[in-house]
Amino acid sequence: MAADVHKKKSWEVSNGLLAPADGQHVAERSESPTPGLAQGTEPGAGQEGAMFVHTRSYEDLTSSEDGGAASQSPEEGQGDQDDQIKMEQISKDFSELSTQLTGVVLDFEEEMRQSKDDKLDLSPQTSRHDSVLSGKEEEDVTMDAWRMHQKHVFVLSEAGKPVYSRYGSEEALSSTMGVMMALVSFLEAEKNAIRSIHADGYKVVFVRRSPLVLVAVARTRQSEQDIAHELLYIYYQILSLLTWTQLNHIFQQKQNYDLRRLLAGSERITDNLLDLMARDPSFLMGAARCLPMAAGVRDAVSTSLQQARAKSLVFSILLSRNQLVSLVRKKDQFLHPIDLHLLFNLISSSSSFREGEAWTPICLPKFNSCGFFHAHISYLEQDTDLCLLLVSTDREDFFTVSDCKRRFQERLKKRGVYHALREALLTPFYSVSQVGISDLRHFIYKSKSSGLFTSPEIEAPYVSEEEKERLLGLYQYLHSRAHNSSRPLKNIYFTGQNENLLAWVTSAFELYVCFSPLTTKAAAVGAVNKLMKWIRREEDHLFILMPQTY
Amino acid sequence: MSGQRVDAKVVMLGKEYVGKTSLVERYVHNRFLVGPYQNTIGAAFVAKVMSVAGRTVTLGIWDTAGSERYEAMSRIYYRGAKAAIVCYDLTDSSSFQQENLWVHELQNFEEHCRIYLCGTKSDLLDEDRRKRGVDFHDVQDYADEIKAELFETSSKTGQNVDELFQKVAEDYVHFTAFQVMTEEKGVDLSQKSGTYFYSCCHH
Ligand SMILES: Nc1nc2c(ncn2[C@@H]2O[C@H](COP(=O)(O)OP(=O)(O)O)[C@@H](O)[C@H]2O)c(=O)[nH]1
Ligand SMILES: [Mg+2]
């Protein structure tokens, strides 16, 4: 029903944030390779406006706007000098981390800990710096740490009943027995808080979203903000199955309700979400990646999708393996990237959508956590990964929506783009060598105004799963440094043993680059300049510049 | 409004894991998928054209999830159904005990819906008779009582699957021929419920 569309809450709030929260232009210092781009003019910015709710990437999840959280608001107006000090501090952090960010306790967390008072520290202070390893041992420890790279996640009701456990309850319990005790005392504390415990070698992060408590026990070198961010995704995942309204209603009726009954069969979706977050930078970036394709083909697809509309449709999304092909939305309705990620996850977690046409209730919690939409999910053809997702407000409207799919396919055929579309599916990733910068290994570029990012295929030397996750871990670290609520940094350059890294965050875009360890800083700056030009040149291929509405 | 003309709506009901999706797969695609269990999310629709006594009939089959999560919403899937295939696992007596719930709902809300009880996975009984968890005569008595047809099928071997759906289609043809004389109005697919925020108070 159309009226319900207007009941949404979150985008109205965050839509006002057209100027991003971290929009400090002081950050464009002289060493920046290109002058600051105003938001909306950066490469990848849509020419017809955005498709998504504007978000401040992951702060959007953890900030108080979302219901209260640990992160403090960024300190405004720091001058260049402060930045300079920060740069020194961060390179110190990084070199202390030249253990390649193994699971050992990181230095910067100590500062974060000092800056907040709502955390427990159970670990003996003395062992902290001793645990930073050096020299030769490092290699093995790195591998060891990766093998041990584990993150237990579990969800409890406030009455202490298990709701979800990542690795089976026994295992989760045995590794957290002591922690459970501390948890009890936390439960008395204020709602919607994020808290953490730092024990030797791992940290425990709690997120309370009444009536649920989410806990992660992590040996990763992720910041607690990042971990809390993942926990919130799990929370939203649960909401997407039940709605906030239903969840609360159930626990109001019966405090010790066993929610597993209602969530039965959804464990796979949640497991998949955790796996995906460890592999796919979309979650970290709070953005969507597009399937690269010729602009003409994409526009024809979007137009076909736009024409196959129906009154009850709010979003029409064509995707292939977690990459966006096209997204058409109802005028004035914006999708939140988190909701899109939940949809992507739902689709990638089940092969059941390959049979027939699915019609399933789904809540998009960032859009409206109170009600269900109905999603029509189907693959265009049996043997391709092209999946069409039509989100409707009317659960009785299946046949109308199903007819939209038929009309969409007809239009595609009529316009003769089916073939080109299938062709694009053959090359879902591009090689970084196309950029033509010799020491460039990999990068992630996000256009803030479009909420889209681009990234080449991860290639050698990041071949094994461990190496790939390690690279993502490095980006995670850079990202958390660049967005650290108490000490955000706009430019980071780090020279390491295995690679050199650069992060550049402006009000318009975010860029994370990985170079071979041989690059000099000057060369890196030059390379970034060249890279930005390349992205600009390729932008209509890599992004959706002409999003459509109906 | 519909691009796909459907003559008869058929809904698959029954607890998760009893074999509803496999039954539809066997009937529509004549295959049996092995591999890890993929629970149905929400519901899946598939249309199948068949012929009954020289007449083509399109069955619109709704394969539901059967999970408690979607119970409050199951009505949207069976509303206006001409036939309900209520499945239970022949090797799992608890799955049969739950039949009652579905049958009651159908009797209360869909008086024109014919009920077909379907015991699934009969191939497992062929392997080992002792696996039978549901007595045939008990179910037969129950079926008589609620005026339902009874089938025992195997999606793995295909046994009795076509027969089941053929019977559904035949009954539809006979039943509607009779119904047209007694009742004019069909199902109004555009009929809407008050709100799409369905009531979540089924506990
Ligand atoms: N041996 C055997 N296994 C079956 C049969 N039908 C379904 N299964 C298995 O039972 C499980 C659940 O089947 P599925 O059709 O997905 O159940 P649904 O949840 O009711 O849709 C799957 O592992 C199937 O492989 C059958 O006829 N014979
Ligand atoms: Mg199923």
Side-chain angles (χ1 to χ4, degrees), chain A residues 14-69:
Chain A
S14 30
N15 206 26
L17 297 169
L18 281 174
D22 52 348
Q24 293 165 314
H25 292 271
V26 285
E28 273 82 55
R29 301 199 314 239
S30 54
E31 68 185 41
S32 304
T34 55
L37 293 154
Q39 197 178 33
T41 63
E42 79 277 14
Q47 288 164 22
E48 308 272 313
M51 294 180 289
F52 301 116
V53 176
H54 276 270
T55 62
R56 295 160 293 157
S57 69
Y58 79 0
E59 292 94 329
D60 193 50
L61 277 160
T62 47
S63 72
S64 50
E65 174 249 324
D66 192 53

Side-chain angles (χ1 to χ4, degrees), chain A residues 298-336:
Chain A
R298 196 189 311 275
D299 290 344
V301 172
S302 298
T303 305
S304 306
L305 209 49
Q306 194 266 349
Q307 287 169 340
R309 62 178 167 251
K311 238 175 99 188
S312 75
L313 279 190
V314 196
F315 302 110
S316 305
I317 302 164
L318 187 65
L319 64 139
S320 168
R321 288 173 173 260
N322 296 335
Q323 288 184 308
L324 199 55
V325 176
S326 177
L327 189 160
V328 180
R329 55 180 181 82
K330 203 183 191 83
K331 207 161 176 282
D332 302 327
Q333 308 297 336
F334 294 89
L335 191 58
H336 194 288

Side-chain angles (χ1 to χ4, degrees), chain B residues 13-24 32-40 63-66 87 89 120-124 127 153-158:
Chain B
L13 295 173
K15 179 178 149 178
E16 249 182 348
Y17 203 72
V18 295
K20 301 178 293 299
T21 302
S22 301
L23 205 54
V24 175
F32 180 72
L33 299 175
V34 282
Y37 173 57
Q38 295 279 332
N39 52 321
T40 306
D63 174 23
T64 64
C87 303
D89 183 338
T120 60
K121 313 187 189 181
S122 66
D123 58 284
L124 294 177
E127 281 168 23
T153 60
S154 165
S155 306
K156 192 171 176 184
T157 65

Side-chain angles (χ1 to χ4, degrees), chain A residues 488-504:
Chain A
L489 278 160
K490 305 303 173 193
N491 297 308
I492 301 171
Y493 185 71
F494 165 67
T495 46
Q497 222 167 38
N498 296 327
E499 57 271 298
N500 292 351
L501 296 161
L502 182 146
W504 185 20

Side-chain angles (χ1 to χ4, degrees), chain A residues 179-244:
Chain A
V179 173
M180 297 296 285
M181 301 300 289
L183 173 63
V184 175
S185 65
F186 272 126
L187 290 177
E188 304 304 319
E190 102 195 63
K191 295 192 176 187
N192 293 337
I194 295 171
R195 283 146 205 288
S196 64
I197 298 172
H198 295 251
D200 231 11
Y202 63 91
K203 52 193 115 174
V204 185
V205 180
F206 300 90
V207 169
R208 184 175 176 194
R209 281 290 184 276
S210 188
L212 300 180
V213 179
L214 301 99
V215 188
V217 183
R219 277 181 185 282
T220 62
R221 72 281 88 179
Q222 279 175 294
S223 70
E224 71 189 52
Q225 264 182 328
D226 277 344
I227 295 169
H229 170 236
E230 294 189 356
L231 288 178
L232 281 162
Y233 259 104
I234 302 300
Y235 170 70
Y236 286 129
Q237 166 56 39
I238 293 170
L239 291 190
S240 80
L241 296 167
L242 300 176
T243 74
W244 181 86

Side-chain angles (χ1 to χ4, degrees), chain A residues 462-479:
Chain A
Y462 310 99
V463 182
S464 66
E465 277 310 308
E466 281 83 11
E467 278 294 314
K468 282 183 178 150
E469 279 191 28
R470 191 177 70 84
L471 178 63
L472 189 64
L474 290 166
Y475 285 136
Q476 265 166 353
Y477 179 72
L478 285 174
H479 184 273

